[in-house]
Amino acid sequence: MTCAACQHHVEAALTGAPGVVSARVDLMRHRASVEFNGGVTDPAALVTAIRDSGYDAVLPRAEGASTQAFPEESKMGWKAALTIAAGVLAMLLGMPEGLARWVLLAITAALAVWAGGAIYRSAWKALLHGETNMNTLVSLGTGVAFLYSAYGTARPAAMAASYFDSVLLILGFLLLGKWLEGRARHRALTAVDALAELQPATARVRRDNAEVSIAVDDLRVGDLAVILPGERIPADGVIASGRTTVDESMLTGESMPLERNVGDRILAGSLNYDGAVTATVESAGEGTTLRQIARLVEQAQSSRAPMERLADRASAIFVPVVLGLAVLTFAGWLLAVHSFALAIAATVAVLVIACPCAMGLAVPAALTVAIGRGAQFGVLIKGGEALERVAGLTTVVLDKTGTLTMGKPVLAHLKAFTGFAEIELLRWAASAEDQSAHPLAHAVVDAARERGLTWAAAENVQTMPGRGLSATVEGRSCLLGNLELMREWSIPFPANEFAQVSPGPQAGVTRLWMAVDGQLAGYFDARDALRPSAVAAVGWLRTHGIAAEILTGDSASAAVPIAAAVGITEVFAGLLPADKVSRIRTLQAAGKRVAMVGDGINDAAALAQADAGMAMGAGAALAQEAGDVLLLSSDPVGIGTAIGLARATIRVMRQNLAWAAGYNVVGIPLAAGLLYPVFHVMLTPWMAAAAMAFSSVSVLLNSLRLRDWKPKPVESGLR
């Protein structure tokens, strides 16, 4: 594929094939993603459909092969250099006489076939299918110039001008542009390659009481992997013995090495710094976090941004419009000055200066680079549509626990009422909460383990999102949750006991009530620490004119101090999941463009309702699935990074579109001779070809600036 018109034709061929539900073709990566009914068609039939439309395709060879150079690109630089050199020589010779004319004709024909063969074949195939693309314009332009010059060679008396130099320079500059474009495209696609390179080829494991080296793809869940200092971790796992520090910066954007001890999780692709450890493999191969991140990045890079629709509409009619303008140019010059040579020159210039490639690459090039750059900061934006929504945000609502706070509360106080012992209450609570993923559940279970308690598995565990849970423990009916849950279940609060309890927990503390067999048994107070970067993250939002609110299922007594600490005045506490959705809808009805940031199952509905959902990477899988953005490091600093990068990318996209459109709007009239009546200046065909080649390359180079994007000073202070 050479331009957006090609992309459109391939998509049309695929979507028109029997059994195809949808097809998306990526002009940057030269790949197609197709959803189809396996009972009606198969991949081989899809390849045939593409070939029948005049293009070629093969099935993917392997993961990670997507950014490798295409075979023809390796020779394109040499072809461009030789063709341009021949074109310059032809220009210096001017209009040779005698045998030299025929030698120049032969050289031009040979180089056109050798260097431009793929261009002419593409144009011919498109013609056979009643289609046009950029190669159609180039083939017509160089074909007309060559035939006119060949006619003049055969009949010197009729030769007013020779355009052999133009034919060679047009092809040479086109190939040079394609070669530079290919190099720039590969640089834009390096994010997936960089992630793939983090995966070591082999792993050291202990099997049958012996240490052996195996291919990473042969790792199995449950294997005991041995990782030495300086080695890349081969799979996701849990440290079974040893301690070390690891570098996860390429995966999560976390710049500082992290300490890891027995029981801690480590990720494939991380660098083991200073300790030899053994780890039990939890996920290997395609199931590792590294491979999942690579897949998400690749899928996001190949997605379409809404802004691209404008370019698609323009590209669909671009080539036919240029062909019409070329005909008008030829007729106009012939009628105005009666010069066949000038009419030919202007027509060829119009055909070759037109560049649908720049229009087609304007948005996907910027999107591709931005998605890869975000991944380096631990921010995964799930495609072009999500990026545009993130760029336009006006309000960010945040969950408290695990988002602004560490999400690892610790048990600060335990109170058992009359008839219950604290140790007994803690053991029962740990049994009930052991099957819950809620941070408060972890606080209770961790406290029980620290005291050496053991317990039997609870039965009939039922979670009530935003309120708590019920379970049967050792034959007793246990209820754990907030005050609203106790009232909902009509749990009585004895006056003599409740009088000893403060009206609410201390500031910044969350209280978990417990009832046993319908009787209030006591409560647990847990305290969560504020994330170090939370204050600066909220400050960034305020500095950039974005309002911030807290929506939490926690009590007001726990939420208000956290809000005050980070500088948020709008706090909505004690909310059920439906309440969070309702608040977001209220903001949206008021014209706000809202992002929801959360990490738990309770946040999934709110993440889906928001204009942009940002899921903390350490959160529940359901929350991550619902999010438009994944913050892999579970750090609120990623909120500002995502918004800042999205806004920078939108600016580059608009610049690219403006350049691509402006180039053609200005370039085509100049090539047609707009300045000639006043200044007697015309663009020669080779000048038009050089301008055309520069157009596509300039769009890619402008997009590549995003590879060096960094948070601005106020943003970098968050890290």
Side-chain angles (χ1 to χ4, degrees):
M1 299 184 298
T2 58
C3 65
C6 300
Q7 178 186 27
H8 174 74
H9 295 327
V10 175
E11 278 190 350
L14 285 169
T15 54
V20 171
V21 178
S22 65
R24 184 178 67 248
V25 175
D26 181 1
L27 182 61
M28 282 289 294
R29 200 180 295 275
H30 285 222
R31 298 189 89 179
S33 299
V34 189
E35 181 183 353
F36 61 91
N37 183 341
V40 177
T41 190
D42 57 35
L46 300 177
V47 170
T48 301
I50 294 173
R51 289 174 177 166
D52 288 344
S53 70
Y55 296 85
D56 197 9
V58 293
L59 296 177
R61 291 179 292 277
E63 288 296 325
S66 57
T67 63
Q68 295 175 357
F70 297 100
E72 66 270 17
E73 286 185 2
S74 60
K75 301 178 181 178
M76 200 173 288
W78 286 108
K79 289 183 177 181
L82 290 174
T83 308
I84 290 174
V88 171
L89 179 61
M91 183 184 297
L92 294 176
L93 290 174
M95 295 177 62
E97 300 293 332
L99 180 61
R101 290 201 310 270
W102 292 98
V103 172
L104 186 55
L105 170 63
I107 291 174
T108 304
L111 285 175
V113 172
W114 176 67
I119 296 170
Y120 297 123
R121 285 193 299 272
S122 173
W124 177 249
K125 288 180 180 179
L127 178 63
L128 292 178
H129 291 85
E131 298 169 352
T132 56
N133 55 36
M134 190 196 77
N135 290 327
T136 304
L137 302 178
V138 174
S139 297
L140 273 176
T142 56
V144 167
F146 179 82
L147 291 175
Y148 177 77
S149 301
Y151 175 76
T153 300
R155 297 187 61 183
M159 191 175 198
S162 172
Y163 295 112
F164 288 130
D165 57 344
S166 294
V167 172
L168 294 170
L169 289 173
I170 288 169
L171 292 174
F173 283 129
L174 175 64
L175 292 173
L176 177 62
K178 286 297 178 186
W179 181 69
L180 293 172
E181 182 184 315
R183 290 172 61 88
R185 181 188 286 116
H186 296 323
R187 289 176 62 196
L189 293 169
T190 54
V192 174
D193 282 347
L195 289 169
E197 290 170 1
L198 296 180
Q199 179 80 63
T202 60
R204 193 180 290 105
V205 298
R206 288 180 183 168
R207 288 181 179 172
D208 301 325
N209 298 319
E211 192 173 293
V212 296
S213 181
I214 64 172
V216 166
D217 290 339
D218 293 333
L219 277 172
R220 300 191 300 260
V221 173
D223 275 339
L224 197 63
V226 180
I227 307 109
L228 301 180
E231 292 183 341
R232 291 279 177 188
I233 296 168
D236 293 353
V238 174
I239 294 180
S241 64
R243 62 153 301 280
T244 188
T245 52
V246 298
D247 177 6
E248 296 181 354
S249 58
M250 284 294 290
L251 293 174
T252 66
E254 175 57 61
S255 58
M256 298 298 294
L258 305 171
E259 186 173 331
R260 292 290 184 259
N261 297 295
V262 173
D264 290 338
R265 195 162 185 261
I266 53 177
L267 302 177
S270 303
L271 179 64
N272 181 29
Y273 267 143
D274 53 13
V277 297
T278 59
T280 303
V281 174
E282 284 191 331
S283 301
E286 295 302 317
T288 62
T289 301
L290 174 64
R291 295 282 183 90
Q292 292 177 35
I293 291 173
R295 279 198 300 273
L296 282 172
V297 170
E298 188 168 352
Q299 289 169 6
Q301 287 181 332
S302 63
S303 67
R304 290 286 187 88
M307 195 180 295
E308 200 169 347
R309 293 169 190 155
L310 174 63
D312 287 344
R313 288 195 294 269
S315 298
I317 62 171
F318 186 88
V319 175
V321 167
V322 171
L323 290 174
L325 291 175
V327 171
L328 291 175
T329 299
F330 180 79
W333 274 98
L334 203 57
L335 292 173
V337 297
H338 305 290
S339 171
F340 197 77
L342 282 177
I344 288 289
T347 301
V348 171
V350 168
L351 288 170
V352 299
I353 201 171
C355 188
C357 295
M359 187 73 72
L361 291 171
V363 174
L367 176 65
T368 298
V369 179
I371 296 296
R373 186 57 173 162
Q376 293 175 336
F377 284 99
V379 175
L380 295 186
I381 302 174
K382 293 184 179 179
E385 187 173 350
L387 184 138
E388 288 198 23
R389 290 199 301 267
V390 170
L393 293 174
T394 61
T395 304
V396 173
V397 297
L398 307 104
D399 181 38
K400 179 184 74 69
T401 306
T403 302
L404 292 173
T405 65
M406 296 298 292
K408 295 181 179 179
V410 295
L411 196 62
H413 179 64
L414 165 59
K415 172 68 175 178
F417 292 156
T418 304
F420 298 94
E422 288 187 357
I423 293 297
E424 185 178 51
L425 207 63
L426 181 58
R427 185 167 58 83
W428 290 342
S431 175
E433 297 282 17
D434 202 11
Q435 300 181 38
S436 172
H438 196 281
L440 288 179
H442 293 315
V444 171
V445 173
D446 290 345
R449 285 178 177 154
E450 288 174 3
R451 300 190 189 191
L453 302 181
T454 58
W455 52 85
E459 300 175 343
N460 305 321
V461 178
Q462 293 187 344
T463 300
M464 290 156 275
R467 292 168 293 171
L469 59 78
S470 64
T472 301
V473 179
E474 298 177 3
R476 292 176 171 82
S477 176
C478 296
L479 188 69
L480 292 103
N482 55 26
L483 197 59
E484 287 72 20
L485 182 64
M486 299 296 124
R487 290 169 177 163
E488 181 182 320
W489 283 58
S490 302
I491 302 299
F493 281 71
N496 60 328
E497 297 283 8
F498 205 58
Q500 305 173 25
V501 182
S502 59
Q506 298 177 2
V509 171
T510 300
R511 178 160 293 171
L512 179 70
W513 294 90
M514 183 172 183
V516 178
D517 292 331
Q519 180 182 350
L520 195 66
Y523 61 82
F524 305 85
D525 280 349
R527 186 187 301 274
D528 197 0
L530 188 69
R531 287 190 182 274
S533 62
V535 175
V538 174
W540 186 94
L541 295 174
R542 188 167 50 248
T543 301
H544 289 76
I546 300 174
E549 297 184 0
I550 291 179
L551 306 184
T552 178
D554 216 338
S555 63
S557 59
V560 170
I562 294 295
V566 299
I568 294 178
T569 57
E570 295 291 329
V571 183
F572 298 84
L575 301 183
L576 298 176
D579 298 327
K580 293 182 179 181
V581 172
S582 177
R583 175 58 186 167
I584 292 172
R585 286 175 177 167
T586 299
L587 290 169
Q588 291 171 328
K592 308 294 185 183
R593 302 185 70 176
V594 185
M596 170 70 194
V597 186
D599 75 329
I601 291 176
N602 293 346
D603 300 321
L607 288 167
Q609 175 61 42
D611 296 288
M614 298 188 183
M616 307 296 268
L622 179 60
Q624 294 181 25
E625 185 65 28
D628 297 298
V629 178
L630 295 186
L631 308 180
L632 297 176
S633 64
S634 295
D635 190 335
V637 70
I639 303 169
T641 301
I643 297 173
L645 178 59
R647 290 180 173 180
T649 306
I650 293 299
R651 285 196 297 270
V652 170
M653 287 179 178
R654 288 171 177 163
Q655 290 166 4
N656 286 350
L657 285 172
W659 164 255
Y663 162 84
N664 285 294
V665 167
V666 173
I668 292 175
L670 288 179
L674 180 66
L675 299 180
Y676 189 81
V678 178
F679 300 101
H680 297 282
V681 174
M682 285 190 67
L683 287 181
T684 62
W686 71 264
M687 290 179 181
M692 180 268 291
F694 175 72
S695 177
S696 295
V697 174
S698 64
V699 165
L700 281 165
L701 292 178
N702 189 45
S703 300
L704 282 173
R705 293 191 301 114
L706 291 168
R707 286 184 63 185
D708 300 320
W709 178 88
K710 293 180 180 179
K712 292 180 181 178
V714 66
E715 296 172 297
S716 56
L718 303 180
R719 289 195 169 272

